[in-house]
Amino acid sequence: MGGEIQAGGAARSDDELLAAARQGDAKALEALLVRYQPHLYRFGLRMCGNVDDAGDVAQESLISMARSLPAFRGDASVSTWLYTIARRFCLKKRRRSKFAPVAEEPIDGSARDAALGLADPAPGPEQTAASRELEAALITAIDGLEPGQREVLLLRDVEGLSAPEVAKVLGLGVDAVKSRLHRARVAVRQRLAPMRGAPEAGGRPRRCPDVVRLFSEHLEGDIDPAVCARMETHLTGCADCRDDCATLKRTLAVCRALPEPQVPPHVGTAVKAALRAFLAAR
């Protein structure tokens, strides 16, 4: 992540906005809030499984960021810092009741559409309909992951943090993050494979290496050249494994292309009101 905002004809990076906000520039602070609000809302929605909780997570995270600006040492990126804050609020939401379920249920269709920023279904080009169907299926597949795998896949493959950044957010080692990531990718790929016209990996008897996991490791730069060469040789002669890898690659492309969700207007209004109150008190 870490996009740029045009201000006065010049693009301002996260670091520039952060530096200006720390100097008391209210517009720079608001620009950071606007930039990250949909991403934090999406993360909260996927992790909490509830639209209201997601709105609370986005609002509380952004206001916590504003209040913590003087203490931020800059030893992490803005996105890493914000997702660390958001995850803390997500955990609080999940622990808020002794009656809360251990595992979250996938959210219903209306909430899923809100997460994707989709309007009510309406006639349109066939390609657009197919794309929306695939995006909705991906959301369902992500929601079906256990929380530890879900947060890793969201941060790495949807929000675009690096593996070391994800490790910092979660307080884990990089190897542990990658292990969870590979399992999550394989699981999501298996659930989406039928939609992409490919069989589920492992769903047919064959004596083949675990190419889907190996390909995931290859994407993270974690297999040595000799293993990579053997995998490429195997793929040359195995159409099934080539399909498995291609399906994983397409699945990750869909993850990275998920549209930013439409944050409910009341959430944006509440964040701005809280920001104004914070600035007035400061």
Side-chain angles (χ1 to χ4, degrees):
M1 244 179 68
E4 295 180 335
I5 288 180
Q6 298 291 330
R12 303 184 74 183
S13 68
D14 281 355
D15 290 339
E16 290 170 333
L17 288 172
L18 181 63
R22 296 183 72 179
Q23 294 298 316
D25 186 336
K27 289 185 178 179
L29 178 56
E30 184 172 350
L32 278 174
L33 299 187
V34 169
R35 176 176 295 174
Y36 280 95
Q37 184 172 270
H39 297 277
L40 296 177
Y41 177 75
R42 175 167 58 190
F43 180 71
L45 188 58
R46 300 274 64 80
M47 292 308 302
C48 298
N50 180 284
V51 172
D52 292 334
D53 285 350
D56 289 345
V57 165
Q59 178 178 334
E60 292 167 355
S61 300
L62 291 167
I63 298 307
S64 178
M65 181 268 281
R67 291 172 178 157
S68 303
L69 274 177
F72 181 58
R73 300 189 303 273
D75 54 353
S77 67
V78 175
S79 57
T80 300
W81 178 38
L82 272 172
Y83 284 115
T84 302
I85 295 172
R87 181 176 182 261
R88 184 169 68 244
F89 283 115
C90 285
L91 291 175
K92 287 182 179 179
K93 289 290 183 183
R94 281 167 32 196
R95 294 169 182 164
R96 69 189 181 278
S97 171
K98 64 180 180 181
F99 301 108
V102 174
E104 298 85 349
E105 294 295 325
I107 59 179
D108 62 26
S110 60
R112 185 181 309 120
D113 285 350
L116 289 169
L118 302 179
D120 292 333
E126 183 176 335
Q127 185 175 5
T128 299
S131 176
R132 288 184 174 182
E133 182 181 2
L134 182 58
E135 289 168 354
L138 174 60
I139 290 296
T140 299
I142 293 173
D143 288 346
L145 296 171
E146 61 91 11
Q149 292 182 14
R150 191 188 320 152
E151 62 186 2
V152 167
L153 186 130
L154 284 170
L155 292 170
R156 179 73 182 98
D157 290 334
V158 177
E159 302 301 343
L161 274 65
S162 68
E165 287 175 328
V166 176
K168 193 172 186 68
V169 170
L170 303 183
L172 297 172
V174 174
D175 288 344
V177 163
K178 290 182 177 180
S179 179
R180 290 186 187 184
L181 177 65
H182 300 319
R183 291 198 300 271
R185 284 174 171 173
V186 170
V188 169
R189 181 263 167 211
Q190 287 175 335
R191 296 182 188 198
L192 290 187
M195 287 194 66
R196 305 311 302 256
E200 293 188 9
R204 51 184 176 265
R206 63 172 189 242
R207 294 182 178 179
C208 293
D210 187 356
V211 293
V212 175
R213 184 182 177 94
L214 282 173
F215 186 64
S216 178
E217 293 176 355
H218 169 67
L219 293 175
E220 298 300 309
D222 287 342
I223 61 174
D224 63 47
V227 174
C228 186
R230 288 197 296 271
M231 185 177 76
E232 289 179 352
T233 298
H234 177 79
L235 291 176
T236 300
C238 183
D240 287 341
C241 286
R242 285 201 305 275
D243 288 343
D244 289 347
C245 291
T247 306
L248 174 61
K249 190 173 181 179
R250 289 194 294 268
T251 298
L252 296 182
V254 176
C255 282
R256 291 166 187 145
L258 279 175
E260 290 184 3
Q262 294 176 354
V263 179
H266 72 274
V267 174
T269 300
V271 170
K272 289 183 178 180
L275 176 61
R276 285 195 294 269
F278 164 74
L279 292 173
R282 188 177 65 173

